[in-house]
Amino acid sequence: MPTSRLAGRRVVVTGAGSGIGRATALRLAREGARVTALDVVPAGLAELEAEAAADPGVDGRVHTGPVDISDEQSVVAAVSAAVEAGGGLDAIVNAAAIHYGDHTHTTTLARWQRIIDVNLTGTFLMTREALPALLESEHGGVVVNFSSTSAFFAHPYMAAYAATKGAIMSFTHAIALEYADRGLRAVSLVPGGIETAITGATPANLPADVDWDKFAKLMPTLRRGKFGGPDDIAGVVAMLVSDDGRYITGTEIRVDGGTHM
Ligand SMILES: NC(=O)c1ccc[n+]([C@@H]2O[C@H](COP(=O)([O-])OP(=O)(O)OC[C@H]3O[C@@H](n4cnc5c(N)ncnc54)[C@H](O)[C@@H]3O)[C@@H](O)[C@H]2O)c1
């Protein structure tokens, strides 16, 4: 693994208290980045701080902070603090999201709205606030947004979640073209099933009459059908944020262990 391809890069990671966001924050820091790791759950950030402190490769480059990405004022405060502390910003990784399983005909408007507010509007707010600093990056700013295979292929009981993940892809395409002439790159990461808190909670979130046969085609082919781990995604994010990803923009990178060949 290259140890310093991100040396001096300043990166904000949301959803850093758990799963993919946490693994990404640690990976980017190990590769030399100064990481502002944000989350709405303080306990998750405390766990990240402990992991970072125990990892000599991180060498103090992970700095945690609170944000609720669905709250405009919280986002404004968190991004401006990160930009000020780092003296600028080179990349943002929008990993924070929530997921509920439900039948569409029993999904309440409040639940639908909450998923949109966090996943889609939260990605917009974080990106909007980061853009002025990203456009000043001497390396060319990078936005990595999180879509999902549920945006491409039918996943049962998660229409609201899937709709936000499709919209995030469209949003990412639009900003990639809008700011390409100013050196910005924008890419959607598209994970398949990855072992994290979201997947761990999914069985309990599903409707009582869940039909498990509908999940059969969601199993990966690699590793005998086992889900991937957060590190399988974090390394790809590191590549996208680095100059190794310099010719990648306005597109999606699917990392799903061959689930949808
Ligand atoms: N795990 C998978 O199988 C999978 C598959 C496809 C896409 N994804 C996407 O990957 C990303 C990371 O997911 P994960 O699996 O690591 O999930 P996770 O639940 O482990 O982590 C999500 C993090 O987001 C944080 N968060 C939630 N609401 C927030 C808010 N309002 N403000 C700030 N932080 C908030 C949570 O506290 C949590 O720490 C998500 O965008 C998810 O949709 C995951």
Side-chain angles (χ1 to χ4, degrees):
M1 177 176 83
T3 52
S4 60
R5 68 179 166 172
L6 298 178
R9 305 291 167 101
R10 298 145 304 178
V11 187
V12 165
V13 179
T14 70
S18 177
I20 294 168
R22 187 192 294 183
T24 298
L26 292 167
R27 173 67 186 251
L28 298 180
R30 278 188 215 112
E31 292 209 33
R34 180 195 196 282
V35 178
T36 300
L38 304 174
D39 205 286
V40 74
V41 176
L45 290 177
E47 287 173 18
L48 169 62
E49 283 167 13
E51 272 189 62
D55 187 335
V58 168
D59 199 20
R61 287 188 291 269
V62 170
H63 307 268
T64 62
V67 75
D68 177 351
I69 62 166
S70 67
D71 179 307
E72 186 173 24
Q73 289 318 309
S74 173
V75 170
V76 169
V79 175
S80 70
V83 171
E84 194 179 329
L89 190 63
D90 300 296
I92 183 166
V93 180
N94 284 308
I98 55 172
H99 174 274
Y100 291 108
D102 207 345
H103 285 297
T104 301
H105 68 274
T106 54
T107 297
T108 63
L109 179 57
R111 177 162 282 187
W112 168 270
Q113 196 62 56
R114 183 68 189 146
I115 295 172
I116 303 273
D117 285 350
V118 174
N119 296 6
L120 180 56
T121 307
T123 296
F124 155 68
L125 287 173
M126 287 298 302
T127 305
R128 183 193 74 183
E129 287 309 301
L131 272 170
L134 292 175
L135 293 171
E136 296 294 317
S137 167
E138 64 180 292
H139 307 286
V142 184
V143 178
V144 178
N145 287 332
F146 269 75
S147 182
S148 154
T149 48
S150 63
F152 288 89
F153 307 98
H155 290 208
Y157 315 116
M158 53 186 88
Y161 173 84
T164 65
K165 294 300 180 176
I168 284 170
M169 235 163 18
S170 307
F171 173 74
T172 308
H173 287 169
I175 62 169
L177 179 56
E178 188 174 342
Y179 298 104
D181 56 354
R182 300 180 65 181
L184 187 95
R185 293 187 293 110
V187 183
S188 291
L189 208 299
V190 183
I194 302 294
E195 294 276 6
T196 67
I198 276 185
T199 41
T202 297
N205 272 333
L206 292 173
D209 62 347
V210 55
D211 176 356
W212 288 105
D213 288 347
K214 290 188 168 153
F215 286 88
K217 66 180 183 183
L218 302 188
M219 291 313 290
T221 52
L222 290 181
R223 301 182 196 149
R224 298 183 181 214
K226 287 199 177 111
F227 280 174
D231 288 332
D232 294 321
I233 305 296
V236 181
V237 177
M239 179 276 288
L240 289 172
V241 167
S242 80
D243 290 343
D244 289 334
R246 62 189 171 272
Y247 204 49
I248 305 173
T249 194
T251 190
E252 295 79 48
I253 307 283
R254 180 149 58 88
V255 187
D256 70 349
T259 304
H260 296 287
M261 302 196 232

PDB file of all heavy atoms in Angstrom, residues 37-71:
ATOM      1  N   ALA A  37     -13.192  13.912  10.702  1.00  0.00           N
ATOM      2  CA  ALA A  37     -14.114  12.776  10.751  1.00  0.00           C
ATOM      3  C   ALA A  37     -15.379  13.208  11.496  1.00  0.00           C
ATOM      4  O   ALA A  37     -15.329  13.487  12.692  1.00  0.00           O
ATOM      5  CB  ALA A  37     -13.452  11.604  11.455  1.00  0.00           C
ATOM      6  N   LEU A  38     -16.504  13.262  10.784  1.00  0.00           N
ATOM      7  CA  LEU A  38     -17.743  13.817  11.337  1.00  0.00           C
ATOM      8  C   LEU A  38     -18.818  12.754  11.475  1.00  0.00           C
ATOM      9  O   LEU A  38     -18.931  11.853  10.636  1.00  0.00           O
ATOM     10  CB  LEU A  38     -18.260  14.934  10.424  1.00  0.00           C
ATOM     11  CG  LEU A  38     -17.303  16.091  10.134  1.00  0.00           C
ATOM     12  CD1 LEU A  38     -17.919  17.044   9.100  1.00  0.00           C
ATOM     13  CD2 LEU A  38     -16.954  16.838  11.416  1.00  0.00           C
ATOM     14  N   ASP A  39     -19.637  12.888  12.506  1.00  0.00           N
ATOM     15  CA  ASP A  39     -20.771  11.980  12.680  1.00  0.00           C
ATOM     16  C   ASP A  39     -21.759  12.623  13.655  1.00  0.00           C
ATOM     17  O   ASP A  39     -21.405  13.538  14.410  1.00  0.00           O
ATOM     18  CB  ASP A  39     -20.323  10.619  13.212  1.00  0.00           C
ATOM     19  CG  ASP A  39     -21.299   9.494  12.847  1.00  0.00           C
ATOM     20  OD1 ASP A  39     -22.396   9.426  13.449  1.00  0.00           O
ATOM     21  OD2 ASP A  39     -20.973   8.685  11.949  1.00  0.00           O
ATOM     22  N   VAL A  40     -22.988  12.098  13.659  1.00  0.00           N
ATOM     23  CA  VAL A  40     -24.016  12.593  14.573  1.00  0.00           C
ATOM     24  C   VAL A  40     -24.026  11.816  15.890  1.00  0.00           C
ATOM     25  O   VAL A  40     -24.636  12.235  16.868  1.00  0.00           O
ATOM     26  CB  VAL A  40     -25.408  12.537  13.881  1.00  0.00           C
ATOM     27  CG1 VAL A  40     -25.935  11.109  13.780  1.00  0.00           C
ATOM     28  CG2 VAL A  40     -26.408  13.463  14.551  1.00  0.00           C
ATOM     29  N   VAL A  41     -23.327  10.668  15.922  1.00  0.00           N
ATOM     30  CA  VAL A  41     -23.326   9.824  17.124  1.00  0.00           C
ATOM     31  C   VAL A  41     -21.974   9.943  17.838  1.00  0.00           C
ATOM     32  O   VAL A  41     -20.951   9.443  17.349  1.00  0.00           O
ATOM     33  CB  VAL A  41     -23.590   8.342  16.755  1.00  0.00           C
ATOM     34  CG1 VAL A  41     -23.497   7.458  17.989  1.00  0.00           C
ATOM     35  CG2 VAL A  41     -24.958   8.202  16.095  1.00  0.00           C
ATOM     36  N   PRO A  42     -21.934  10.618  18.999  1.00  0.00           N
ATOM     37  CA  PRO A  42     -20.651  10.818  19.686  1.00  0.00           C
ATOM     38  C   PRO A  42     -19.953   9.513  20.049  1.00  0.00           C
ATOM     39  O   PRO A  42     -18.714   9.432  19.995  1.00  0.00           O
ATOM     40  CB  PRO A  42     -21.049  11.601  20.951  1.00  0.00           C
ATOM     41  CG  PRO A  42     -22.380  12.208  20.650  1.00  0.00           C
ATOM     42  CD  PRO A  42     -23.051  11.289  19.675  1.00  0.00           C
ATOM     43  N   ALA A  43     -20.704   8.478  20.417  1.00  0.00           N
ATOM     44  CA  ALA A  43     -20.073   7.216  20.828  1.00  0.00           C
ATOM     45  C   ALA A  43     -19.277   6.608  19.677  1.00  0.00           C
ATOM     46  O   ALA A  43     -18.193   6.037  19.885  1.00  0.00           O
ATOM     47  CB  ALA A  43     -21.131   6.234  21.318  1.00  0.00           C
ATOM     48  N   GLY A  44     -19.784   6.722  18.470  1.00  0.00           N
ATOM     49  CA  GLY A  44     -19.066   6.206  17.295  1.00  0.00           C
ATOM     50  C   GLY A  44     -17.761   6.953  17.089  1.00  0.00           C
ATOM     51  O   GLY A  44     -16.725   6.361  16.777  1.00  0.00           O
ATOM     52  N   LEU A  45     -17.818   8.270  17.276  1.00  0.00           N
ATOM     53  CA  LEU A  45     -16.601   9.066  17.110  1.00  0.00           C
ATOM     54  C   LEU A  45     -15.582   8.738  18.197  1.00  0.00           C
ATOM     55  O   LEU A  45     -14.372   8.730  17.947  1.00  0.00           O
ATOM     56  CB  LEU A  45     -16.944  10.559  17.125  1.00  0.00           C
ATOM     57  CG  LEU A  45     -17.711  11.055  15.896  1.00  0.00           C
ATOM     58  CD1 LEU A  45     -18.076  12.530  16.041  1.00  0.00           C
ATOM     59  CD2 LEU A  45     -16.918  10.824  14.609  1.00  0.00           C
ATOM     60  N   ALA A  46     -16.081   8.455  19.409  1.00  0.00           N
ATOM     61  CA  ALA A  46     -15.160   8.086  20.495  1.00  0.00           C
ATOM     62  C   ALA A  46     -14.456   6.772  20.157  1.00  0.00           C
ATOM     63  O   ALA A  46     -13.247   6.614  20.413  1.00  0.00           O
ATOM     64  CB  ALA A  46     -15.925   7.968  21.812  1.00  0.00           C
ATOM     65  N   GLU A  47     -15.178   5.832  19.575  1.00  0.00           N
ATOM     66  CA  GLU A  47     -14.551   4.571  19.165  1.00  0.00           C
ATOM     67  C   GLU A  47     -13.509   4.810  18.067  1.00  0.00           C
ATOM     68  O   GLU A  47     -12.432   4.217  18.074  1.00  0.00           O
ATOM     69  CB  GLU A  47     -15.615   3.583  18.680  1.00  0.00           C
ATOM     70  CG  GLU A  47     -16.450   3.009  19.820  1.00  0.00           C
ATOM     71  CD  GLU A  47     -17.613   2.154  19.311  1.00  0.00           C
ATOM     72  OE1 GLU A  47     -17.603   1.729  18.148  1.00  0.00           O
ATOM     73  OE2 GLU A  47     -18.540   1.936  20.107  1.00  0.00           O
ATOM     74  N   LEU A  48     -13.846   5.675  17.134  1.00  0.00           N
ATOM     75  CA  LEU A  48     -12.880   6.010  16.078  1.00  0.00           C
ATOM     76  C   LEU A  48     -11.633   6.648  16.688  1.00  0.00           C
ATOM     77  O   LEU A  48     -10.502   6.301  16.304  1.00  0.00           O
ATOM     78  CB  LEU A  48     -13.519   6.972  15.069  1.00  0.00           C
ATOM     79  CG  LEU A  48     -12.556   7.619  14.065  1.00  0.00           C
ATOM     80  CD1 LEU A  48     -11.886   6.577  13.174  1.00  0.00           C
ATOM     81  CD2 LEU A  48     -13.261   8.668  13.214  1.00  0.00           C
ATOM     82  N   GLU A  49     -11.825   7.563  17.622  1.00  0.00           N
ATOM     83  CA  GLU A  49     -10.669   8.223  18.258  1.00  0.00           C
ATOM     84  C   GLU A  49      -9.765   7.189  18.920  1.00  0.00           C
ATOM     85  O   GLU A  49      -8.533   7.265  18.817  1.00  0.00           O
ATOM     86  CB  GLU A  49     -11.142   9.232  19.311  1.00  0.00           C
ATOM     87  CG  GLU A  49     -11.655  10.528  18.713  1.00  0.00           C
ATOM     88  CD  GLU A  49     -12.412  11.378  19.730  1.00  0.00           C
ATOM     89  OE1 GLU A  49     -12.338  11.083  20.950  1.00  0.00           O
ATOM     90  OE2 GLU A  49     -13.095  12.317  19.297  1.00  0.00           O
ATOM     91  N   ALA A  50     -10.378   6.204  19.591  1.00  0.00           N
ATOM     92  CA  ALA A  50      -9.579   5.168  20.263  1.00  0.00           C
ATOM     93  C   ALA A  50      -8.816   4.346  19.235  1.00  0.00           C
ATOM     94  O   ALA A  50      -7.625   4.044  19.426  1.00  0.00           O
ATOM     95  CB  ALA A  50     -10.490   4.274  21.107  1.00  0.00           C
ATOM     96  N   GLU A  51      -9.483   3.972  18.143  1.00  0.00           N
ATOM     97  CA  GLU A  51      -8.789   3.200  17.092  1.00  0.00           C
ATOM     98  C   GLU A  51      -7.661   4.007  16.475  1.00  0.00           C
ATOM     99  O   GLU A  51      -6.566   3.492  16.215  1.00  0.00           O
ATOM    100  CB  GLU A  51      -9.778   2.810  15.986  1.00  0.00           C
ATOM    101  CG  GLU A  51     -10.493   1.507  16.235  1.00  0.00           C
ATOM    102  CD  GLU A  51     -11.285   1.071  15.011  1.00  0.00           C
ATOM    103  OE1 GLU A  51     -10.693   0.822  13.949  1.00  0.00           O
ATOM    104  OE2 GLU A  51     -12.527   0.999  15.135  1.00  0.00           O
ATOM    105  N   ALA A  52      -7.918   5.288  16.242  1.00  0.00           N
ATOM    106  CA  ALA A  52      -6.901   6.144  15.612  1.00  0.00           C
ATOM    107  C   ALA A  52      -5.697   6.302  16.540  1.00  0.00           C
ATOM    108  O   ALA A  52      -4.545   6.258  16.095  1.00  0.00           O
ATOM    109  CB  ALA A  52      -7.506   7.505  15.270  1.00  0.00           C
ATOM    110  N   ALA A  53      -5.983   6.454  17.850  1.00  0.00           N
ATOM    111  CA  ALA A  53      -4.886   6.660  18.813  1.00  0.00           C
ATOM    112  C   ALA A  53      -4.007   5.413  18.917  1.00  0.00           C
ATOM    113  O   ALA A  53      -2.806   5.502  19.184  1.00  0.00           O
ATOM    114  CB  ALA A  53      -5.453   7.016  20.181  1.00  0.00           C
ATOM    115  N   ALA A  54      -4.621   4.244  18.700  1.00  0.00           N
ATOM    116  CA  ALA A  54      -3.868   2.988  18.831  1.00  0.00           C
ATOM    117  C   ALA A  54      -3.124   2.621  17.555  1.00  0.00           C
ATOM    118  O   ALA A  54      -2.417   1.614  17.521  1.00  0.00           O
ATOM    119  CB  ALA A  54      -4.842   1.861  19.204  1.00  0.00           C
ATOM    120  N   ASP A  55      -3.297   3.402  16.499  1.00  0.00           N
ATOM    121  CA  ASP A  55      -2.729   3.057  15.194  1.00  0.00           C
ATOM    122  C   ASP A  55      -1.573   4.003  14.871  1.00  0.00           C
ATOM    123  O   ASP A  55      -1.788   5.164  14.519  1.00  0.00           O
ATOM    124  CB  ASP A  55      -3.831   3.183  14.133  1.00  0.00           C
ATOM    125  CG  ASP A  55      -3.392   2.684  12.778  1.00  0.00           C
ATOM    126  OD1 ASP A  55      -2.176   2.676  12.501  1.00  0.00           O
ATOM    127  OD2 ASP A  55      -4.277   2.320  11.980  1.00  0.00           O
ATOM    128  N   PRO A  56      -0.329   3.524  14.972  1.00  0.00           N
ATOM    129  CA  PRO A  56       0.807   4.417  14.724  1.00  0.00           C
ATOM    130  C   PRO A  56       0.803   4.995  13.310  1.00  0.00           C
ATOM    131  O   PRO A  56       1.303   6.095  13.084  1.00  0.00           O
ATOM    132  CB  PRO A  56       2.028   3.513  14.951  1.00  0.00           C
ATOM    133  CG  PRO A  56       1.523   2.122  15.105  1.00  0.00           C
ATOM    134  CD  PRO A  56       0.042   2.145  15.290  1.00  0.00           C
ATOM    135  N   GLY A  57       0.203   4.259  12.360  1.00  0.00           N
ATOM    136  CA  GLY A  57       0.156   4.751  10.975  1.00  0.00           C
ATOM    137  C   GLY A  57      -0.702   5.997  10.826  1.00  0.00           C
ATOM    138  O   GLY A  57      -0.520   6.785   9.902  1.00  0.00           O
ATOM    139  N   VAL A  58      -1.655   6.175  11.742  1.00  0.00           N
ATOM    140  CA  VAL A  58      -2.549   7.332  11.670  1.00  0.00           C
ATOM    141  C   VAL A  58      -1.826   8.591  12.143  1.00  0.00           C
ATOM    142  O   VAL A  58      -2.014   9.693  11.608  1.00  0.00           O
ATOM    143  CB  VAL A  58      -3.825   7.082  12.508  1.00  0.00           C
ATOM    144  CG1 VAL A  58      -4.628   8.361  12.689  1.00  0.00           C
ATOM    145  CG2 VAL A  58      -4.679   6.001  11.840  1.00  0.00           C
ATOM    146  N   ASP A  59      -0.980   8.425  13.156  1.00  0.00           N
ATOM    147  CA  ASP A  59      -0.080   9.486  13.609  1.00  0.00           C
ATOM    148  C   ASP A  59      -0.796  10.819  13.866  1.00  0.00           C
ATOM    149  O   ASP A  59      -0.342  11.884  13.441  1.00  0.00           O
ATOM    150  CB  ASP A  59       1.024   9.673  12.552  1.00  0.00           C
ATOM    151  CG  ASP A  59       2.246  10.400  13.119  1.00  0.00           C
ATOM    152  OD1 ASP A  59       2.404  10.404  14.353  1.00  0.00           O
ATOM    153  OD2 ASP A  59       3.007  10.969  12.315  1.00  0.00           O
ATOM    154  N   GLY A  60      -1.948  10.731  14.561  1.00  0.00           N
ATOM    155  CA  GLY A  60      -2.637  11.955  14.982  1.00  0.00           C
ATOM    156  C   GLY A  60      -3.340  12.720  13.885  1.00  0.00           C
ATOM    157  O   GLY A  60      -3.723  13.879  14.074  1.00  0.00           O
ATOM    158  N   ARG A  61      -3.546  12.088  12.720  1.00  0.00           N
ATOM    159  CA  ARG A  61      -4.127  12.843  11.602  1.00  0.00           C
ATOM    160  C   ARG A  61      -5.645  12.720  11.498  1.00  0.00           C
ATOM    161  O   ARG A  61      -6.236  13.206  10.537  1.00  0.00           O
ATOM    162  CB  ARG A  61      -3.470  12.421  10.281  1.00  0.00           C
ATOM    163  CG  ARG A  61      -2.045  12.938  10.124  1.00  0.00           C
ATOM    164  CD  ARG A  61      -1.505  12.655   8.734  1.00  0.00           C
ATOM    165  NE  ARG A  61      -1.301  11.234   8.540  1.00  0.00           N
ATOM    166  CZ  ARG A  61      -0.170  10.580   8.794  1.00  0.00           C
ATOM    167  NH1 ARG A  61       0.872  11.235   9.267  1.00  0.00           N
ATOM    168  NH2 ARG A  61      -0.062   9.289   8.590  1.00  0.00           N
ATOM    169  N   VAL A  62      -6.301  12.073  12.479  1.00  0.00           N
ATOM    170  CA  VAL A  62      -7.779  12.022  12.487  1.00  0.00           C
ATOM    171  C   VAL A  62      -8.302  12.981  13.550  1.00  0.00           C
ATOM    172  O   VAL A  62      -7.938  12.881  14.723  1.00  0.00           O
ATOM    173  CB  VAL A  62      -8.295  10.591  12.771  1.00  0.00           C
ATOM    174  CG1 VAL A  62      -9.799  10.610  13.022  1.00  0.00           C
ATOM    175  CG2 VAL A  62      -7.981   9.668  11.602  1.00  0.00           C
ATOM    176  N   HIS A  63      -9.145  13.914  13.137  1.00  0.00           N
ATOM    177  CA  HIS A  63      -9.730  14.907  14.041  1.00  0.00           C
ATOM    178  C   HIS A  63     -11.241  14.763  13.955  1.00  0.00           C
ATOM    179  O   HIS A  63     -11.810  14.892  12.864  1.00  0.00           O
ATOM    180  CB  HIS A  63      -9.307  16.316  13.634  1.00  0.00           C
ATOM    181  CG  HIS A  63      -7.823  16.459  13.501  1.00  0.00           C
ATOM    182  ND1 HIS A  63      -7.024  16.879  14.538  1.00  0.00           N
ATOM    183  CD2 HIS A  63      -6.994  16.181  12.458  1.00  0.00           C
ATOM    184  CE1 HIS A  63      -5.757  16.879  14.133  1.00  0.00           C
ATOM    185  NE2 HIS A  63      -5.716  16.451  12.890  1.00  0.00           N
ATOM    186  N   THR A  64     -11.894  14.490  15.067  1.00  0.00           N
ATOM    187  CA  THR A  64     -13.327  14.225  15.028  1.00  0.00           C
ATOM    188  C   THR A  64     -14.144  15.476  15.344  1.00  0.00           C
ATOM    189  O   THR A  64     -13.642  16.423  15.967  1.00  0.00           O
ATOM    190  CB  THR A  64     -13.716  13.123  16.029  1.00  0.00           C
ATOM    191  OG1 THR A  64     -13.387  13.577  17.339  1.00  0.00           O
ATOM    192  CG2 THR A  64     -12.993  11.819  15.726  1.00  0.00           C
ATOM    193  N   GLY A  65     -15.398  15.453  14.913  1.00  0.00           N
ATOM    194  CA  GLY A  65     -16.290  16.566  15.221  1.00  0.00           C
ATOM    195  C   GLY A  65     -17.732  16.164  14.973  1.00  0.00           C
ATOM    196  O   GLY A  65     -18.007  15.223  14.220  1.00  0.00           O
ATOM    197  N   PRO A  66     -18.674  16.896  15.614  1.00  0.00           N
ATOM    198  CA  PRO A  66     -20.083  16.558  15.445  1.00  0.00           C
ATOM    199  C   PRO A  66     -20.693  17.214  14.209  1.00  0.00           C
ATOM    200  O   PRO A  66     -20.327  18.329  13.852  1.00  0.00           O
ATOM    201  CB  PRO A  66     -20.717  17.156  16.715  1.00  0.00           C
ATOM    202  CG  PRO A  66     -19.846  18.338  17.036  1.00  0.00           C
ATOM    203  CD  PRO A  66     -18.448  18.000  16.553  1.00  0.00           C
ATOM    204  N   VAL A  67     -21.610  16.494  13.578  1.00  0.00           N
ATOM    205  CA  VAL A  67     -22.449  17.105  12.540  1.00  0.00           C
ATOM    206  C   VAL A  67     -23.736  16.304  12.423  1.00  0.00           C
ATOM    207  O   VAL A  67     -23.722  15.081  12.578  1.00  0.00           O
ATOM    208  CB  VAL A  67     -21.735  17.147  11.161  1.00  0.00           C
ATOM    209  CG1 VAL A  67     -21.690  15.789  10.474  1.00  0.00           C
ATOM    210  CG2 VAL A  67     -22.442  18.132  10.221  1.00  0.00           C
ATOM    211  N   ASP A  68     -24.821  17.001  12.197  1.00  0.00           N
ATOM    212  CA  ASP A  68     -26.049  16.358  11.720  1.00  0.00           C
ATOM    213  C   ASP A  68     -26.221  16.843  10.291  1.00  0.00           C
ATOM    214  O   ASP A  68     -26.560  18.010  10.064  1.00  0.00           O
ATOM    215  CB  ASP A  68     -27.248  16.761  12.585  1.00  0.00           C
ATOM    216  CG  ASP A  68     -28.555  16.166  12.059  1.00  0.00           C
ATOM    217  OD1 ASP A  68     -28.562  15.595  10.935  1.00  0.00           O
ATOM    218  OD2 ASP A  68     -29.567  16.271  12.764  1.00  0.00           O
ATOM    219  N   ILE A  69     -25.964  15.971   9.328  1.00  0.00           N
ATOM    220  CA  ILE A  69     -25.937  16.417   7.931  1.00  0.00           C
ATOM    221  C   ILE A  69     -27.307  16.859   7.428  1.00  0.00           C
ATOM    222  O   ILE A  69     -27.403  17.497   6.385  1.00  0.00           O
ATOM    223  CB  ILE A  69     -25.340  15.343   6.981  1.00  0.00           C
ATOM    224  CG1 ILE A  69     -26.182  14.062   6.971  1.00  0.00           C
ATOM    225  CG2 ILE A  69     -23.887  15.055   7.323  1.00  0.00           C
ATOM    226  CD1 ILE A  69     -25.826  13.113   5.816  1.00  0.00           C
ATOM    227  N   SER A  70     -28.379  16.528   8.164  1.00  0.00           N
ATOM    228  CA  SER A  70     -29.713  16.960   7.742  1.00  0.00           C
ATOM    229  C   SER A  70     -30.057  18.347   8.282  1.00  0.00           C
ATOM    230  O   SER A  70     -31.135  18.865   8.005  1.00  0.00           O
ATOM    231  CB  SER A  70     -30.770  15.947   8.197  1.00  0.00           C
ATOM    232  OG  SER A  70     -30.864  15.935   9.610  1.00  0.00           O
ATOM    233  N   ASP A  71     -29.149  18.942   9.049  1.00  0.00           N
ATOM    234  CA  ASP A  71     -29.401  20.235   9.690  1.00  0.00           C
ATOM    235  C   ASP A  71     -28.459  21.283   9.086  1.00  0.00           C
ATOM    236  O   ASP A  71     -27.238  21.196   9.244  1.00  0.00           O
ATOM    237  CB  ASP A  71     -29.166  20.089  11.198  1.00  0.00           C
ATOM    238  CG  ASP A  71     -29.393  21.389  11.941  1.00  0.00           C
ATOM    239  OD1 ASP A  71     -28.795  22.410  11.565  1.00  0.00           O
ATOM    240  OD2 ASP A  71     -30.153  21.360  12.923  1.00  0.00           O
TER     241      ASP A  71
END
